[in-house]
Amino acid sequence: VFAWSEIISAHANYGLNCLAFGLFGQMVQAPVQPDTHAYVAILKTCASAETFVNGLIIHFHIMGSVHEADLFVGNALINMYVKCGALKDACIVFDKLARRDVVSWSTMITGYTQQMCCQEAMVLFEAMQREGVEPNNVAWNAIISGYAQSGDCEEALCFYNRMLLSGREPDNFTFVSVLNACSNVAVIDQGRLIHADITEAGYGSDVYIRSAMIDMYAKGGSLEDVHNVFTGDKIQNAVTWTAMMAAHALQSDYTKVMHYFKGMQQEGWSPNNVTFVCLLSACGHMGLVEDALEHFSSMRKVYGIDPTQEHYNCLLDLLGRAGFFHEINEIFESMPEGLN
RNA sequence: GAUAUUAAGCCUCUA
């Protein structure tokens, strides 16, 4: 059992979901009775909409067994249902749990915020405390990022302040969420206060926080602050460079978008899939059809990135605007199955 | 040996 569980969770951690599921099947047929660790590992690989059926199969395996009462298995089941968008099923598992820890609660809170139900998430957050479970950073971050994603700056900041008052130290998850919440002109001054908190807390040179700040100032209309954040630290990566491309695309300054794309490559950073969305979009706005086609083909050939729906959208849009109907058909025919 | 929270991104229309 130990060996099977170990090899299954190794595959799960590398994202080899299909292989992990196959191994789980072999384990059952061996026959070896899976333990709680094996169930947790395999449920993790079923936590996405495409693998929902697998998740259901595993749940049927668990039903009626001793593992049904296990807290870790229960939490993994809740997570599986939440990530598959089956909130009702997550609720059923949650309600049946004999014991609920902070993980059970925060998984459910995430489930509600992902369905754009922040009000219900907040109710759960309060109920958790009434049941004597103290929120940890993950629980605070879950509710804050929920409000941030729904654009509710006021509530996000309210929970951020409550978190501080409760004596918890915000981490980089917290800061990125609060920065997201402050990413529009109306609340950019609040964003500046968060920026000060970040500096004081010693997170000012974290590349991910800096890219969130670049994004915030761009959306808040302050290009000066965008540049200050970018140049304020010498350490960059593909994400900060791409954030600069996106920031200038927001101002419709596509020449600058290209400038940062070149800078990124000169500094030896490989563009990622988001970089290519910015780049193709900029080519579209500048009418650079040939360049766009070249960049598009370099994605897979040079960088090994499979184009996604967004990349095809950009490319087809710019080809359409330029009247390249022959190329549109060619690209359209070459699109992989499953894209809409 | 374990399960939960965060990053930057397209087009169209509403304008």
Side-chain angles (χ1 to χ4, degrees):
Chain A
V1 188
F2 186 94
W4 279 108
S5 301
E6 195 59 43
I7 198 163
I8 288 169
S9 64
H11 282 79
N13 291 334
Y14 277 93
L16 304 167
N17 295 352
C18 285
L19 287 174
F21 197 75
L23 284 165
F24 187 84
Q26 287 180 39
M27 176 187 190
V28 172
Q29 279 172 1
V32 173
Q33 185 60 241
D35 61 0
T36 59
H37 291 291
Y39 279 122
V40 168
I42 197 67
L43 281 169
K44 204 176 164 183
T45 70
C46 306
S48 71
E50 313 88 70
T51 49
F52 186 41
V53 178
N54 291 355
L56 288 175
I57 293 170
I58 304 296
H59 194 180
F60 281 125
H61 264 267
I62 294 167
M63 278 177 174
S65 78
V66 287
H67 306 290
E68 202 173 12
D70 185 87
L71 178 63
F72 277 80
V73 172
N75 287 345
L77 276 170
I78 294 171
N79 182 50
M80 184 273 290
Y81 281 121
V82 161
K83 295 287 155 63
C84 296
L87 192 51
K88 284 228 170 68
D89 297 289
C91 282
I92 294 170
V93 178
F94 180 80
D95 289 337
K96 276 205 281 201
L97 275 186
R99 203 167 72 78
R100 298 173 193 130
D101 66 359
V102 69
V103 176
S104 332
W105 287 96
S106 34
T107 310
M108 286 303 294
I109 290 168
T110 303
Y112 278 103
T113 61
Q114 278 178 3
Q115 304 289 323
M116 311 288 276
C117 303
C118 286
Q119 186 71 30
E120 288 80 354
M122 189 262 279
V123 169
L124 272 182
F125 188 85
E126 309 298 354
M128 167 178 71
Q129 285 161 290
R130 277 199 305 278
E131 297 221 344
V133 177
E134 277 306 306
N136 59 9
N137 271 29
V138 175
W140 282 108
N141 294 342
I143 190 78
I144 292 170
S145 85
Y147 278 116
Q149 277 162 27
S150 75
D152 194 336
C153 173
E154 206 177 322
E155 285 297 327
L157 287 173
C158 172
F159 277 91
Y160 171 70
N161 287 320
R162 277 177 61 187
M163 179 183 183
L164 296 182
L165 284 173
S166 80
R168 296 211 75 93
E169 304 237 329
D171 54 25
N172 33 7
F173 285 67
T174 322
F175 285 129
V176 168
S177 296
V178 185
L179 289 170
N180 265 334
C182 298
S183 292
N184 73 64
V185 257
V187 289
I188 191 64
D189 288 333
Q190 314 268 26
R192 291 181 202 282
L193 296 176
I194 301 298
H195 187 162
D197 287 358
I198 288 169
T199 310
E200 197 182 335
Y203 281 93
S205 30
D206 182 295
V207 280
Y208 297 109
I209 289 181
R210 278 174 54 235
S211 74
M213 290 201 283
I214 289 169
D215 184 56
M216 177 187 77
Y217 284 124
K219 287 176 177 154
S222 175
L223 264 190
E224 196 188 333
D225 289 293
V226 165
H227 286 106
N228 287 341
V229 173
F230 185 71
T231 55
D233 205 294
K234 287 199 176 62
I235 298 167
Q236 313 295 356
N237 67 3
V239 179
T240 55
W241 282 101
T242 303
M244 288 303 278
M245 290 172 64
H248 289 90
L250 220 53
Q251 318 286 326
S252 306
D253 190 346
Y254 301 105
T255 315
K256 283 267 171 60
V257 176
M258 295 303 179
H259 167 79
Y260 283 100
F261 179 63
K262 286 200 191 89
M264 170 179 186
Q265 289 178 306
Q266 275 161 14
E267 295 296 318
W269 295 105
S270 284
N272 61 29
N273 57 330
V274 181
T275 314
F276 277 107
V277 175
C278 287
L279 186 62
L280 293 173
S281 165
C283 288
H285 287 281
M286 301 202 299
L288 302 172
V289 178
E290 303 291 326
D291 292 30
L293 287 168
E294 223 164 87
H295 288 308
F296 185 81
S297 81
S298 81
M299 280 183 71
R300 211 186 325 242
K301 279 186 198 150
V302 182
Y303 301 101
I305 302 168
D306 282 326
T308 62
Q309 183 73 64
E310 285 78 9
H311 303 106
Y312 281 104
N313 288 350
C314 288
L315 194 64
L316 292 171
D317 180 68
L318 81 89
L319 289 172
R321 283 172 201 273
F324 283 62
F325 300 113
H326 177 71
E327 283 78 0
I328 289 188
N329 279 322
E330 231 169 65
I331 299 284
F332 194 74
E333 295 301 324
S334 73
M335 267 174 53
E337 289 289 316
L339 297 190
N340 72 35

